[in-house]
mmCIF file of all heavy atoms in Angstrom:
data_model
loop_
_atom_site.group_PDB
_atom_site.id
_atom_site.type_symbol
_atom_site.label_atom_id
_atom_site.label_comp_id
_atom_site.label_asym_id
_atom_site.label_seq_id
_atom_site.Cartn_x
_atom_site.Cartn_y
_atom_site.Cartn_z
ATOM 1 N N THR U 1 19.270 -36.378 -22.566
ATOM 2 C CA THR U 1 20.172 -35.310 -22.137
ATOM 3 C C THR U 1 20.091 -35.140 -20.627
ATOM 4 O O THR U 1 19.045 -35.368 -20.028
ATOM 5 C CB THR U 1 19.821 -33.963 -22.805
ATOM 6 O OG1 THR U 1 18.479 -33.617 -22.472
ATOM 7 C CG2 THR U 1 19.985 -34.030 -24.301
ATOM 8 N N VAL U 2 21.201 -34.751 -20.041
ATOM 9 C CA VAL U 2 21.256 -34.498 -18.600
ATOM 10 C C VAL U 2 21.971 -33.171 -18.384
ATOM 11 O O VAL U 2 23.021 -32.917 -18.981
ATOM 12 C CB VAL U 2 22.004 -35.618 -17.843
ATOM 13 C CG1 VAL U 2 22.042 -35.324 -16.347
ATOM 14 C CG2 VAL U 2 21.363 -36.969 -18.100
ATOM 15 N N ASN U 3 21.392 -32.331 -17.533
ATOM 16 C CA ASN U 3 21.991 -31.055 -17.165
ATOM 17 C C ASN U 3 23.305 -31.321 -16.429
ATOM 18 O O ASN U 3 23.347 -32.110 -15.491
ATOM 19 C CB ASN U 3 21.009 -30.291 -16.268
ATOM 20 C CG ASN U 3 21.451 -28.888 -15.988
ATOM 21 O OD1 ASN U 3 22.632 -28.620 -15.804
ATOM 22 N ND2 ASN U 3 20.505 -27.979 -15.944
ATOM 23 N N LYS U 4 24.374 -30.653 -16.832
ATOM 24 C CA LYS U 4 25.682 -30.864 -16.206
ATOM 25 C C LYS U 4 25.697 -30.448 -14.742
ATOM 26 O O LYS U 4 26.538 -30.926 -13.973
ATOM 27 C CB LYS U 4 26.760 -30.101 -16.969
ATOM 28 C CG LYS U 4 27.064 -30.681 -18.337
ATOM 29 C CD LYS U 4 28.135 -29.860 -19.024
ATOM 30 C CE LYS U 4 28.417 -30.382 -20.411
ATOM 31 N NZ LYS U 4 29.390 -29.544 -21.115
ATOM 32 N N ALA U 5 24.808 -29.554 -14.339
ATOM 33 C CA ALA U 5 24.759 -29.103 -12.950
ATOM 34 C C ALA U 5 24.097 -30.137 -12.042
ATOM 35 O O ALA U 5 24.162 -30.034 -10.826
ATOM 36 C CB ALA U 5 24.004 -27.770 -12.857
ATOM 37 N N ASN U 6 23.459 -31.150 -12.628
ATOM 38 C CA ASN U 6 22.772 -32.188 -11.859
ATOM 39 C C ASN U 6 23.774 -33.268 -11.463
ATOM 40 O O ASN U 6 24.594 -33.689 -12.275
ATOM 41 C CB ASN U 6 21.649 -32.771 -12.730
ATOM 42 C CG ASN U 6 20.705 -33.644 -11.952
ATOM 43 O OD1 ASN U 6 21.124 -34.489 -11.187
ATOM 44 N ND2 ASN U 6 19.425 -33.442 -12.178
ATOM 45 N N MET U 7 23.698 -33.742 -10.219
ATOM 46 C CA MET U 7 24.628 -34.777 -9.757
ATOM 47 C C MET U 7 24.500 -36.058 -10.574
ATOM 48 O O MET U 7 25.450 -36.830 -10.678
ATOM 49 C CB MET U 7 24.387 -35.074 -8.274
ATOM 50 C CG MET U 7 24.924 -33.998 -7.363
ATOM 51 S SD MET U 7 24.768 -34.435 -5.637
ATOM 52 C CE MET U 7 23.192 -33.709 -5.241
ATOM 53 N N THR U 8 23.334 -36.304 -11.146
ATOM 54 C CA THR U 8 23.128 -37.491 -11.972
ATOM 55 C C THR U 8 24.083 -37.492 -13.159
ATOM 56 O O THR U 8 24.558 -38.542 -13.588
ATOM 57 C CB THR U 8 21.662 -37.545 -12.470
ATOM 58 O OG1 THR U 8 20.802 -37.576 -11.339
ATOM 59 C CG2 THR U 8 21.408 -38.760 -13.335
ATOM 60 N N HIS U 9 24.381 -36.314 -13.684
ATOM 61 C CA HIS U 9 25.262 -36.198 -14.842
ATOM 62 C C HIS U 9 26.622 -36.847 -14.563
ATOM 63 O O HIS U 9 27.113 -37.667 -15.347
ATOM 64 C CB HIS U 9 25.449 -34.723 -15.213
ATOM 65 C CG HIS U 9 26.372 -34.504 -16.355
ATOM 66 N ND1 HIS U 9 27.726 -34.335 -16.177
ATOM 67 C CD2 HIS U 9 26.150 -34.452 -17.682
ATOM 68 C CE1 HIS U 9 28.302 -34.181 -17.349
ATOM 69 N NE2 HIS U 9 27.370 -34.243 -18.287
ATOM 70 N N ASP U 10 27.228 -36.494 -13.434
ATOM 71 C CA ASP U 10 28.542 -37.043 -13.089
ATOM 72 C C ASP U 10 28.482 -38.545 -12.855
ATOM 73 O O ASP U 10 29.397 -39.281 -13.210
ATOM 74 C CB ASP U 10 29.107 -36.339 -11.858
ATOM 75 C CG ASP U 10 29.384 -34.866 -12.118
ATOM 76 O OD1 ASP U 10 29.577 -34.499 -13.297
ATOM 77 O OD2 ASP U 10 29.386 -34.089 -11.157
ATOM 78 N N MET U 11 27.390 -39.011 -12.242
ATOM 79 C CA MET U 11 27.238 -40.435 -11.969
ATOM 80 C C MET U 11 27.143 -41.231 -13.279
ATOM 81 O O MET U 11 27.768 -42.283 -13.429
ATOM 82 C CB MET U 11 25.994 -40.681 -11.118
ATOM 83 C CG MET U 11 25.839 -42.132 -10.699
ATOM 84 S SD MET U 11 24.318 -42.422 -9.785
ATOM 85 C CE MET U 11 23.126 -42.299 -11.103
ATOM 86 N N VAL U 12 26.377 -40.724 -14.251
ATOM 87 C CA VAL U 12 26.233 -41.406 -15.536
ATOM 88 C C VAL U 12 27.582 -41.438 -16.265
ATOM 89 O O VAL U 12 27.976 -42.469 -16.818
ATOM 90 C CB VAL U 12 25.145 -40.737 -16.401
ATOM 91 C CG1 VAL U 12 25.120 -41.317 -17.802
ATOM 92 C CG2 VAL U 12 23.773 -40.907 -15.756
ATOM 93 N N LEU U 13 28.309 -40.316 -16.250
ATOM 94 C CA LEU U 13 29.634 -40.283 -16.895
ATOM 95 C C LEU U 13 30.601 -41.266 -16.240
ATOM 96 O O LEU U 13 31.344 -41.979 -16.926
ATOM 97 C CB LEU U 13 30.220 -38.874 -16.816
ATOM 98 C CG LEU U 13 29.849 -37.893 -17.912
ATOM 99 C CD1 LEU U 13 30.538 -36.560 -17.672
ATOM 100 C CD2 LEU U 13 30.184 -38.423 -19.297
ATOM 101 N N LYS U 14 30.598 -41.308 -14.912
ATOM 102 C CA LYS U 14 31.548 -42.142 -14.176
ATOM 103 C C LYS U 14 31.264 -43.630 -14.351
ATOM 104 O O LYS U 14 32.172 -44.423 -14.561
ATOM 105 C CB LYS U 14 31.506 -41.765 -12.693
ATOM 106 C CG LYS U 14 32.480 -42.518 -11.835
ATOM 107 C CD LYS U 14 32.382 -42.060 -10.391
ATOM 108 C CE LYS U 14 33.317 -42.871 -9.507
ATOM 109 N NZ LYS U 14 33.227 -42.469 -8.099
ATOM 110 N N THR U 15 29.996 -44.025 -14.256
ATOM 111 C CA THR U 15 29.643 -45.444 -14.287
ATOM 112 C C THR U 15 29.422 -45.982 -15.694
ATOM 113 O O THR U 15 29.549 -47.182 -15.928
ATOM 114 C CB THR U 15 28.356 -45.713 -13.480
ATOM 115 O OG1 THR U 15 27.264 -45.011 -14.091
ATOM 116 C CG2 THR U 15 28.517 -45.282 -12.030
ATOM 117 N N GLY U 16 29.028 -45.101 -16.632
ATOM 118 C CA GLY U 16 28.740 -45.559 -17.986
ATOM 119 C C GLY U 16 27.394 -46.237 -18.132
ATOM 120 O O GLY U 16 27.100 -46.851 -19.150
ATOM 121 N N ILE U 17 26.567 -46.143 -17.086
ATOM 122 C CA ILE U 17 25.221 -46.717 -17.151
ATOM 123 C C ILE U 17 24.193 -45.670 -16.738
ATOM 124 O O ILE U 17 24.523 -44.692 -16.079
ATOM 125 C CB ILE U 17 25.065 -47.966 -16.245
ATOM 126 C CG1 ILE U 17 25.347 -47.614 -14.770
ATOM 127 C CG2 ILE U 17 25.948 -49.099 -16.721
ATOM 128 C CD1 ILE U 17 25.064 -48.753 -13.816
ATOM 129 N N PHE U 18 22.959 -45.866 -17.159
ATOM 130 C CA PHE U 18 21.885 -44.992 -16.693
ATOM 131 C C PHE U 18 20.716 -45.859 -16.262
ATOM 132 O O PHE U 18 20.541 -46.987 -16.718
ATOM 133 C CB PHE U 18 21.450 -44.004 -17.775
ATOM 134 C CG PHE U 18 20.529 -44.599 -18.806
ATOM 135 C CD1 PHE U 18 19.152 -44.525 -18.668
ATOM 136 C CD2 PHE U 18 21.043 -45.250 -19.913
ATOM 137 C CE1 PHE U 18 18.314 -45.084 -19.612
ATOM 138 C CE2 PHE U 18 20.211 -45.811 -20.861
ATOM 139 C CZ PHE U 18 18.843 -45.731 -20.714
ATOM 140 N N ASN U 19 19.949 -45.322 -15.345
ATOM 141 C CA ASN U 19 18.746 -45.988 -14.854
ATOM 142 C C ASN U 19 17.662 -44.933 -14.761
ATOM 143 O O ASN U 19 17.887 -43.851 -14.228
ATOM 144 C CB ASN U 19 18.989 -46.604 -13.480
ATOM 145 C CG ASN U 19 20.041 -47.681 -13.540
ATOM 146 O OD1 ASN U 19 19.778 -48.800 -13.919
ATOM 147 N ND2 ASN U 19 21.263 -47.313 -13.189
ATOM 148 N N LEU U 20 16.510 -45.248 -15.276
ATOM 149 C CA LEU U 20 15.418 -44.284 -15.312
ATOM 150 C C LEU U 20 14.135 -44.925 -14.813
ATOM 151 O O LEU U 20 13.748 -45.997 -15.282
ATOM 152 C CB LEU U 20 15.228 -43.792 -16.753
ATOM 153 C CG LEU U 20 14.107 -42.797 -17.025
ATOM 154 C CD1 LEU U 20 14.370 -41.493 -16.301
ATOM 155 C CD2 LEU U 20 13.974 -42.561 -18.516
ATOM 156 N N SER U 21 13.507 -44.295 -13.834
ATOM 157 C CA SER U 21 12.197 -44.724 -13.351
ATOM 158 C C SER U 21 11.169 -43.751 -13.903
ATOM 159 O O SER U 21 11.283 -42.550 -13.678
ATOM 160 C CB SER U 21 12.141 -44.694 -11.817
ATOM 161 O OG SER U 21 13.087 -45.571 -11.279
ATOM 162 N N ILE U 22 10.172 -44.254 -14.606
ATOM 163 C CA ILE U 22 9.123 -43.403 -15.156
ATOM 164 C C ILE U 22 7.941 -43.448 -14.191
ATOM 165 O O ILE U 22 7.319 -44.493 -14.000
ATOM 166 C CB ILE U 22 8.700 -43.894 -16.559
ATOM 167 C CG1 ILE U 22 9.920 -43.896 -17.481
ATOM 168 C CG2 ILE U 22 7.591 -43.020 -17.114
ATOM 169 C CD1 ILE U 22 9.724 -44.614 -18.777
ATOM 170 N N LEU U 23 7.679 -42.317 -13.557
ATOM 171 C CA LEU U 23 6.631 -42.263 -12.540
ATOM 172 C C LEU U 23 5.250 -42.150 -13.173
ATOM 173 O O LEU U 23 5.111 -41.780 -14.333
ATOM 174 C CB LEU U 23 6.889 -41.087 -11.594
ATOM 175 C CG LEU U 23 8.194 -41.175 -10.801
ATOM 176 C CD1 LEU U 23 8.406 -39.925 -9.986
ATOM 177 C CD2 LEU U 23 8.213 -42.402 -9.909
ATOM 178 N N THR U 24 4.224 -42.470 -12.377
ATOM 179 C CA THR U 24 2.843 -42.413 -12.849
ATOM 180 C C THR U 24 2.167 -41.133 -12.370
ATOM 181 O O THR U 24 2.672 -40.438 -11.490
ATOM 182 C CB THR U 24 2.025 -43.604 -12.302
ATOM 183 O OG1 THR U 24 1.909 -43.456 -10.883
ATOM 184 C CG2 THR U 24 2.693 -44.929 -12.622
ATOM 185 N N GLU U 25 1.010 -40.863 -12.939
ATOM 186 C CA GLU U 25 0.229 -39.698 -12.515
ATOM 187 C C GLU U 25 -0.216 -39.826 -11.058
ATOM 188 O O GLU U 25 -0.511 -38.840 -10.409
ATOM 189 C CB GLU U 25 -0.991 -39.525 -13.419
ATOM 190 C CG GLU U 25 -0.640 -39.073 -14.825
ATOM 191 C CD GLU U 25 -1.862 -38.859 -15.700
ATOM 192 O OE1 GLU U 25 -2.991 -39.149 -15.240
ATOM 193 O OE2 GLU U 25 -1.696 -38.409 -16.841
ATOM 194 N N ALA U 26 -0.268 -41.053 -10.537
ATOM 195 C CA ALA U 26 -0.699 -41.266 -9.155
ATOM 196 C C ALA U 26 0.419 -41.018 -8.143
ATOM 197 O O ALA U 26 0.180 -41.043 -6.943
ATOM 198 C CB ALA U 26 -1.226 -42.702 -9.000
ATOM 199 N N SER U 27 1.639 -40.759 -8.609
ATOM 200 C CA SER U 27 2.760 -40.532 -7.694
ATOM 201 C C SER U 27 2.517 -39.294 -6.832
ATOM 202 O O SER U 27 2.047 -38.280 -7.317
ATOM 203 C CB SER U 27 4.061 -40.347 -8.478
ATOM 204 O OG SER U 27 4.351 -41.484 -9.222
ATOM 205 N N LYS U 28 2.877 -39.411 -5.577
ATOM 206 C CA LYS U 28 2.730 -38.303 -4.641
ATOM 207 C C LYS U 28 3.974 -37.416 -4.703
ATOM 208 O O LYS U 28 5.049 -37.854 -5.098
ATOM 209 C CB LYS U 28 2.556 -38.827 -3.212
ATOM 210 C CG LYS U 28 1.374 -39.766 -3.053
ATOM 211 C CD LYS U 28 0.083 -38.990 -3.011
ATOM 212 C CE LYS U 28 -1.099 -39.872 -2.692
ATOM 213 N NZ LYS U 28 -1.860 -40.297 -3.814
ATOM 214 N N PHE U 29 3.823 -36.168 -4.248
ATOM 215 C CA PHE U 29 4.935 -35.224 -4.305
ATOM 216 C C PHE U 29 6.128 -35.701 -3.483
ATOM 217 O O PHE U 29 7.274 -35.472 -3.861
ATOM 218 C CB PHE U 29 4.497 -33.836 -3.844
ATOM 219 C CG PHE U 29 5.581 -32.801 -3.990
ATOM 220 C CD1 PHE U 29 6.006 -32.395 -5.241
ATOM 221 C CD2 PHE U 29 6.190 -32.239 -2.874
ATOM 222 C CE1 PHE U 29 7.018 -31.450 -5.396
ATOM 223 C CE2 PHE U 29 7.197 -31.296 -3.016
ATOM 224 C CZ PHE U 29 7.609 -30.904 -4.274
ATOM 225 N N ASP U 30 5.889 -36.424 -2.375
ATOM 226 C CA ASP U 30 7.014 -36.871 -1.552
ATOM 227 C C ASP U 30 7.898 -37.863 -2.305
ATOM 228 O O ASP U 30 9.092 -37.972 -2.037
ATOM 229 C CB ASP U 30 6.543 -37.441 -0.209
ATOM 230 C CG ASP U 30 6.003 -38.850 -0.317
ATOM 231 O OD1 ASP U 30 5.120 -39.079 -1.168
ATOM 232 O OD2 ASP U 30 6.448 -39.713 0.463
ATOM 233 N N VAL U 31 7.342 -38.579 -3.282
ATOM 234 C CA VAL U 31 8.158 -39.471 -4.106
ATOM 235 C C VAL U 31 9.123 -38.647 -4.945
ATOM 236 O O VAL U 31 10.298 -38.984 -5.079
ATOM 237 C CB VAL U 31 7.273 -40.366 -5.010
ATOM 238 C CG1 VAL U 31 8.122 -41.169 -5.991
ATOM 239 C CG2 VAL U 31 6.426 -41.289 -4.151
ATOM 240 N N TYR U 32 8.646 -37.525 -5.490
ATOM 241 C CA TYR U 32 9.522 -36.637 -6.266
ATOM 242 C C TYR U 32 10.600 -36.040 -5.372
ATOM 243 O O TYR U 32 11.752 -35.915 -5.776
ATOM 244 C CB TYR U 32 8.719 -35.515 -6.919
ATOM 245 C CG TYR U 32 7.860 -36.004 -8.048
ATOM 246 C CD1 TYR U 32 6.574 -36.460 -7.810
ATOM 247 C CD2 TYR U 32 8.345 -36.038 -9.347
ATOM 248 C CE1 TYR U 32 5.790 -36.926 -8.843
ATOM 249 C CE2 TYR U 32 7.572 -36.502 -10.385
ATOM 250 C CZ TYR U 32 6.287 -36.949 -10.128
ATOM 251 O OH TYR U 32 5.525 -37.417 -11.141
ATOM 252 N N GLN U 33 10.226 -35.665 -4.162
ATOM 253 C CA GLN U 33 11.199 -35.088 -3.242
ATOM 254 C C GLN U 33 12.291 -36.093 -2.897
ATOM 255 O O GLN U 33 13.461 -35.747 -2.833
ATOM 256 C CB GLN U 33 10.523 -34.634 -1.955
ATOM 257 C CG GLN U 33 9.708 -33.372 -2.119
ATOM 258 C CD GLN U 33 9.113 -32.939 -0.802
ATOM 259 O OE1 GLN U 33 8.383 -33.692 -0.167
ATOM 260 N NE2 GLN U 33 9.437 -31.740 -0.391
ATOM 261 N N ARG U 34 11.911 -37.340 -2.692
ATOM 262 C CA ARG U 34 12.881 -38.344 -2.257
ATOM 263 C C ARG U 34 13.684 -38.935 -3.399
ATOM 264 O O ARG U 34 14.823 -39.334 -3.222
ATOM 265 C CB ARG U 34 12.171 -39.462 -1.505
ATOM 266 C CG ARG U 34 11.569 -38.975 -0.200
ATOM 267 C CD ARG U 34 10.857 -40.059 0.497
ATOM 268 N NE ARG U 34 11.817 -40.969 1.108
ATOM 269 C CZ ARG U 34 11.535 -41.723 2.144
ATOM 270 N NH1 ARG U 34 10.349 -41.688 2.676
ATOM 271 N NH2 ARG U 34 12.439 -42.528 2.643
ATOM 272 N N PHE U 35 13.092 -39.013 -4.598
ATOM 273 C CA PHE U 35 13.772 -39.691 -5.693
ATOM 274 C C PHE U 35 14.116 -38.769 -6.852
ATOM 275 O O PHE U 35 15.115 -38.969 -7.524
ATOM 276 C CB PHE U 35 12.914 -40.850 -6.212
ATOM 277 C CG PHE U 35 12.717 -41.906 -5.180
ATOM 278 C CD1 PHE U 35 11.631 -41.859 -4.332
ATOM 279 C CD2 PHE U 35 13.630 -42.931 -5.036
ATOM 280 C CE1 PHE U 35 11.452 -42.822 -3.353
ATOM 281 C CE2 PHE U 35 13.467 -43.892 -4.061
ATOM 282 C CZ PHE U 35 12.374 -43.846 -3.212
ATOM 283 N N GLY U 36 13.293 -37.761 -7.108
ATOM 284 C CA GLY U 36 13.519 -36.927 -8.267
ATOM 285 C C GLY U 36 14.285 -35.652 -8.011
ATOM 286 O O GLY U 36 14.827 -35.072 -8.925
#
């Protein structure tokens, strides 16, 4: 599921594809800021 208020929602609807990166516990907060 994707929240309709999230820009990802429109991108998934428009392109018909999804891409998901599953982060690790070692990920730093700046990775979330830049990608999540």
Side-chain angles (χ1 to χ4, degrees):
T1 59
V2 180
N3 188 322
K4 290 180 182 176
N6 192 313
M7 285 185 268
T8 301
H9 178 271
D10 295 336
M11 185 184 73
V12 172
L13 273 181
K14 182 179 177 181
T15 63
I17 60 174
F18 80 93
N19 297 280
L20 179 64
S21 299
I22 302 168
L23 298 176
T24 67
E25 290 182 355
S27 299
K28 303 283 187 262
F29 185 68
D30 78 308
V31 173
Y32 289 88
Q33 286 182 302
R34 294 179 75 155
F35 296 91

